[in-house]
Amino acid sequence: MRLGSGLGDADIVCTSPKARFFGVDIKPHRGSIFVAGDQLKRQVGQQTCSFEKDFLSQAIKQAI
């Protein structure tokens, strides 16, 4: 589903019984995902990696 104003797309859109909407964007990344401060990071083996995009900031913009 394309989101307005050039904010990208959502792979899955869900509606709760209380009429709240949730967009899910699926990313095929390896490793364990965790939050460090205000950024998402991932652990692949012994290496900690940053993502190529700021997914949390993008999700906030899409939600607004």
Side-chain angles (χ1 to χ4, degrees):
M1 174 181 208
R2 302 283 311 152
L3 302 176
S5 302
L7 292 173
D9 60 23
D11 295 318
I12 301 168
V13 177
C14 304
T15 306
S16 77
K18 293 185 178 183
R20 293 191 165 203
F21 293 88
F22 299 88
V24 179
D25 196 11
I26 299 170
K27 302 289 184 201
H29 294 286
R30 294 177 32 197
S32 300
I33 312 301
F34 64 96
V35 177
D38 62 350
Q39 294 184 340
L40 286 179
K41 302 261 184 182
R42 63 184 166 144
Q43 183 82 32
V44 181
Q46 297 297 319
Q47 185 176 359
T48 299
C49 306
S50 295
F51 288 98
E52 66 277 1
K53 290 183 179 180
D54 183 354
F55 293 121
L56 291 179
S57 175
Q58 183 178 359
I60 291 168
K61 288 177 187 175
Q62 290 175 341
I64 292 171

